[in-house]
Amino acid sequence: MNREKIIVIDFGGQYNQLVARRVRECGVYCEIYSYKTDIGQIRDMAPKGIILTGGPNSCYEEGAASCGRELFELGIPVLGLCYGAQLMMLTLGGHVCKAPVREYGKIEVTVDKSSKLFGDVSEKTICWMSHNDYIEKKAPGFRITGRTPDCPVAAAEWEEKDLYAIQFHPEVLHTQEGAKMLRNFVYQVCHCEGTWKMDAFAAASIQAIREKVGKGKALCALSGGVDSSVAAVLMSKAIGNQLTCVFVDHGLLRKNEGDEVEEVFGPKGPYELNFIRVNAQERFYEKLRGVEEPEQKRKIIGEEFIRVFEEEAKKIGAVDFLVQGTIYPDVVESGLGGESAVIKSHHNVGGLPDYVDFKEIMEPLRDLFKDEVRKVGLELGIPEKLVYRQPFPGPGLGIRIVGEVTPEKVVMVQEADAIYREEIARAGLDRTIGQYFAALTNMRSVGVMGDERTYDYAVALRAVNTVDFMTAETAEIPFEVLAKVMNRVINEVKGVNRVLYDLTSKPPGTIEFE
Ligand code: XMP
């Protein structure tokens, strides 16, 4: 599809995906490419603009991530951010070196409002800085459009050539007027039209899927999570019951989740598709019996999932397409998109089975960020409850029970988690916390209930906020809410006599508690 787009050239900065998301929030499609991408390929893509990201190196060091001078001579507007700004200046004849004062944090920048980037921005505006190096001398032809007391070139531009450099990070929310700056780049400098809209995406995808599938058959592993649900609905709207969805209930789902998924996708739900629910609880519990080691549990669950799915697929016979709920961050993180590749070793439900007879993989959400997937979901009429479902790992509660998984423990953690979620929602916090859940520790301790001594398990409550799930901060939940959850869990969940709140950030912890 030849759509209007901006490309982000990634130099390994931690905010590469954030930059692309912000551009898309402006209504313009944006993709991430490694700095190693061939200049010819970039020219052929004919983007409306190019954004260079930050990066961890010093651009003047031997072997540092770099781009050729030609990138600035394509006649395509370029915006360099942080490392990208320094690289632009260095490449075009300016001077970059270690700064006498390292700037880190929220810093007031004085900007020149006559710049197209800053027209509607306050003259003194708070921006997020994080740099050891600085642009000591701008490149010839540029004019300085932003300063701080410690940074003589916080922004510079060469308007006639459409080249813009800014030392700070407009993509992070700490830069109070960053969204305006990016919008200005996209519309005032790159003259985009803003054609990236989720309703248009849904309509175009449905059409494209129809054309591609023709009279063929498609098979989709449905987990009940946001991505596979939206992929399934999109497919179902396009090809109706040429689509079969297999939903494996591994007995490690949250309370009532299996039934909720069936309500939406099953025969009584609003969509036309073949829905197969496999109740495989016993099989999973059997395989997990006596196993304590977390990686081993993950492996068992992942493999068993594939076995169950394959068995169902065999019953269906050959299909033309296997549908996957891959989304854009998966593409970037698996090293196909940007530079800061992080290879995930997660066993996702929906991972690729070896022996399913299909011709082609279909990934209808491959271009979308999570928030866009949610918008498409709402656009397609999927219930909000499902669309705003929190991330839930493929191995499910299997990795929220420390130590051996037993059916009794699954019930404990399901009940505790349901209470926790209910109280968080009641306190109006459900959309403000990134991810929260209850886990069951492997610790039993003495308590007293009524007149009786107990020797029961401790539940751990976890709640974190995160931008990218690579790092996370513990969420500050009001004490009254925690106390209420504690009270209810102790009273309502048999086998639990203590409730702990996990204060650990990531790192050193992980988000999951396994
Ligand atoms: P961790 O625990 O690694 O989690 O800090 C980071 C994010 O990934 C989710 N997660 C998984 N998601 N399959 C998934 O689909 C998995 O095996 C898996 N393990 C962790 C976790 O919920 C968090 O959002």
Side-chain angles (χ1 to χ4, degrees), residues 52 54 143 160 208 213 242 268 292 336 357 375 406 425 434 495:
L52 313 180
R143 72 176 180 118
E160 297 72 33
V213 176
Q242 286 161 265
K268 296 199 185 111
E292 295 192 355
L336 295 175
D357 192 0
K375 276 191 205 136
T406 65

Side-chain angles (χ1 to χ4, degrees), residues 291-436:
V291 182
E292 295 192 355
E293 208 280 314
E295 269 306 304
Q296 211 186 338
K297 289 197 284 184
R298 281 174 172 275
K299 244 190 147 105
I300 290 173
I301 298 167
E303 279 169 13
E304 194 59 15
F305 175 85
I306 291 179
R307 291 292 91 74
V308 176
F309 186 72
E310 275 171 4
E311 285 170 26
E312 288 310 311
K314 277 205 185 107
K315 291 183 201 161
I316 297 164
V319 293
D320 303 282
F321 299 93
L322 182 69
V323 183
Q324 302 232 300
T326 316
I327 67 172
Y328 195 54
D330 303 331
V331 176
V332 177
E333 281 161 23
S334 61
L336 295 175
E339 190 48 35
S340 15
V342 184
I343 311 296
K344 269 196 194 168
S345 67
H346 292 150
H347 304 287
N348 282 317
V349 165
L352 192 58
D354 295 336
Y355 309 109
V356 175
D357 192 0
F358 68 94
K359 288 194 206 125
E360 209 178 314
I361 291 183
M362 203 154 178
E363 299 173 314
L365 308 177
R366 203 185 152 81
D367 288 343
L368 304 190
F369 282 111
K370 193 85 177 184
D371 45 336
E372 295 172 326
V373 173
R374 292 203 161 103
K375 276 191 205 136
V376 172
L378 292 176
E379 201 58 53
L380 294 170
I382 303 177
E384 277 205 18
K385 198 168 143 196
L386 222 159
V387 167
Y388 285 102
R389 197 163 252 180
Q390 300 189 45
F392 187 64
L397 301 178
I399 59 166
R400 290 182 181 172
I401 294 172
V402 183
E404 187 188 7
V405 175
T406 65
E408 296 74 29
K409 285 184 179 175
V410 170
V411 174
M412 284 182 214
V413 76
Q414 277 178 337
E415 294 297 331
D417 183 66
I419 291 169
Y420 188 27
R421 282 189 288 137
E422 210 175 290
E423 291 303 329
I424 291 284
R426 190 169 294 167
L429 299 171
D430 49 338
R431 292 272 179 95
T432 63
I433 306 173
Q435 192 173 351
Y436 57 97

